Amino acid sequence: MEGRPFDMAKRLKGIPPYLFAELDRLKQAEVKKGVDVIPLGIGDPDQPTPENIVQAMHRAIDRPQNHHYPSYEGMPAFRQAAAGWFQSRFGVSLDPDQEIVTLIGSKEGIGHFPLAFVNPGEVVLVPDPGYPVYEIGTLLAGGIPYSMPLTRENGFMPDLCAIPHDILKKARMIFLNYPNNPTAAVASREFFDEVVRFAMENRLIVCHDAAYTEIFYNGEKPMSFLEVDGAKDVGIEFHSLSKTYNMTGWRIGFAAGSAQLIHGLGKIKTNLDSGIFQAIQEAGIEALSGDQSGVERMRTLYQERRDTFVAGLREAGLSCDPPRATFYLWMEVPKGYTSKTFCEFLLKKAGIAATPGHGFGKYGEGYIRFTLTVSKERLAEAAERIRKVL
């Protein structure tokens, strides 16, 4: 006997299936057929977490004090390590007690943040293409996402002057992400200066997702939004240990910025989660404060992969620009294809899993995103497979 059907809440009906879950389903279907799929769709580092971090975790697990509930806002020692890393990397001083909160990965913080500051019916400015959680977090809070197009002609930066006045009157918040996923664009100081002025003039909260600041090439270090004068008065910045230290499965990050915004996010978290396992936070302290040579090795590795893959794609007759940061490559699809049909073509004809640009928003149509999270040999093989089927 079947149970009676249950209707989901209305807030879920406007939310599409999570993009990367659907991509994984399609990839697994091909794998079950025996296809040797080269996974270039999901941005999950293939290299192990550095050994010094793993060993710190081993030691921390043996300490009984770490087996209890952690503090909601994060261990003071972890927040101090985050503040020290921020000062060393960006030259920005932060109060670890008031201006930093620990996160169960930056995705969690980004998804929860609109619950603290967006009322039903208020507008949130969202980059398009962009990480899907910006829009989904807005919808779950009852907000209305407004897409800001990121186009090649504008360097994949939003044209803030093009946002209609009536939208700005209702707007509460703006999401930004540089280095950018999926386009790999890097923001300039001049752009961040413009954002601060724009936010002050329009009474907006700036949420900057900075998950990829440590994956850069040719020594060109991306900056933090909080380096700009006035940024801490209007904004919050989300950082993740996932991509920098190959810790995607560990789920740890932090947010930094305005004490008022940190407090608001913290209030949501105290009511919805119980903090991060302290042993993971101790491993995070080692990541932020310990030997950073592993991060440099990863940058070198990604740069070799980037150069190999870009050269191979160009030999296959495809046009693509080498990214200045992130481990993503954002490429226009060949004529005659949509982003969806080209990804399907690559998966079924060449055994390559990529991400269709339209999955990141309407303005991602006409592009696909590759990741550099397999060996350069596999990337060379992927490029050769593409050359053969085109």
Side-chain angles (χ1 to χ4, degrees):
M1 180 177 177
E2 291 185 8
R4 69 181 179 88
F6 293 98
D7 291 332
M8 289 190 293
K10 292 179 181 177
R11 71 176 63 89
L12 291 182
K13 293 185 178 178
I15 296 176
Y18 189 57
L19 171 64
F20 301 110
E22 178 66 9
L23 291 173
D24 190 58
R25 185 189 69 78
L26 294 172
K27 183 188 79 174
Q28 291 306 321
E30 292 300 305
V31 170
K32 284 182 180 179
K33 296 176 186 176
V35 177
D36 174 26
V37 175
I38 301 178
L40 306 182
I42 299 174
D44 191 0
D46 60 309
Q47 296 297 297
T49 305
E51 185 62 20
N52 61 312
I53 300 172
V54 174
Q55 289 304 316
M57 178 70 166
H58 281 307
R59 294 190 297 270
I61 286 174
D62 287 336
R63 285 193 274 275
Q65 62 266 35
N66 286 336
H67 303 170
H68 301 287
Y69 280 124
S71 63
Y72 293 106
E73 66 273 16
M75 294 172 63
F78 177 81
R79 287 180 281 123
Q80 289 165 5
W85 178 85
F86 222 96
Q87 176 70 57
S88 174
R89 172 64 176 85
F90 301 113
V92 174
S93 296
L94 294 166
D95 179 349
D97 295 324
Q98 301 296 323
E99 296 177 332
I100 294 178
V101 64
T102 308
L103 303 174
I104 309 173
S106 60
K107 177 181 178 181
E108 172 263 307
I110 289 166
H112 278 153
F113 189 74
L115 292 173
F117 291 98
V118 176
N119 296 306
E122 291 182 327
V123 171
V124 176
L125 307 176
V126 176
D128 181 350
Y131 185 41
V133 180
Y134 310 143
E135 180 175 359
I136 291 169
T138 296
L139 291 169
L140 289 175
I144 301 170
Y146 176 83
S147 293
M148 301 181 295
L150 305 187
T151 64
R152 179 180 294 279
E153 294 73 25
N154 205 41
F156 298 112
M157 304 286 158
D159 182 355
L160 302 178
C161 296
I163 300 170
H165 182 66
D166 63 324
I167 295 294
L168 287 174
K169 284 174 64 177
K170 302 173 188 175
R172 176 71 164 156
M173 184 181 299
I174 180 172
F175 274 107
L176 297 171
N177 166 219
Y178 293 100
N180 184 258
N181 172 25
T183 71
V186 177
S188 66
R189 180 176 292 274
E190 290 73 22
F191 173 73
F192 282 149
D193 280 332
E194 180 187 0
V195 168
V196 170
R197 290 193 298 271
F198 180 75
M200 289 180 173
E201 290 169 2
N202 295 286
R203 299 179 62 82
L204 291 173
I205 296 168
V206 179
C207 306
H208 183 232
D209 177 4
Y212 299 96
T213 60
E214 304 316 292
I215 302 174
F216 55 84
Y217 306 115
N218 301 318
E220 298 178 8
K221 294 182 179 181
M223 64 182 294
S224 162
F225 171 68
L226 297 181
E227 290 183 55
V228 174
D229 290 343
K232 206 191 293 185
D233 297 327
V234 299
I236 185 170
E237 187 165 83
F238 296 89
H239 284 265
S240 170
L241 277 64
S242 291
K243 311 300 169 60
T244 303
Y245 299 103
N246 302 335
M247 295 175 70
T248 51
W250 299 59
R251 309 315 305 138
I252 183 167
F254 64 92
S258 158
Q260 183 182 354
L261 300 180
I262 293 295
H263 175 73
L265 176 55
K267 192 167 185 179
I268 294 294
K269 287 177 59 57
T270 57
N271 285 283
L272 291 181
D273 71 61
S274 298
I276 304 169
F277 182 29
Q278 284 194 171
I280 293 177
Q281 293 188 64
E282 290 199 18
I285 293 168
E286 174 62 27
L288 294 168
S289 306
D291 181 12
Q292 300 296 302
S293 61
V295 181
E296 183 60 40
R297 283 195 299 273
M298 287 307 302
R299 280 195 286 267
T300 300
L301 186 69
Y302 286 134
Q303 183 151 348
E304 290 174 352
R305 293 176 177 184
R306 179 199 69 166
D307 294 345
T308 296
F309 197 41
V310 167
L313 291 173
R314 288 175 173 172
E315 287 176 11
L318 296 171
S319 174
C320 58
D321 298 322
R324 293 169 53 202
T326 79
F327 49 45
Y328 301 122
L329 196 152
W330 187 240
M331 188 190 79
E332 288 188 78
V333 302
K335 288 183 180 179
Y337 291 94
T338 66
S339 61
K340 181 175 184 288
T341 60
F342 192 57
C343 280
E344 289 174 346
F345 173 81
L346 291 178
L347 185 60
K348 293 177 180 178
K349 298 296 185 181
I352 296 166
T355 307
H358 79 276
F360 296 100
K362 179 174 72 173
Y363 292 94
E365 182 51 68
Y367 292 86
I368 63 170
R369 192 196 74 177
F370 293 113
T371 66
L372 302 175
T373 53
V374 299
S375 69
K376 67 178 182 179
E377 289 78 16
R378 287 287 267 174
L379 287 166
E381 180 184 350
E384 178 60 16
R385 290 188 191 181
I386 293 171
R387 189 190 66 78
K388 287 180 177 179
V389 298
L390 282 180

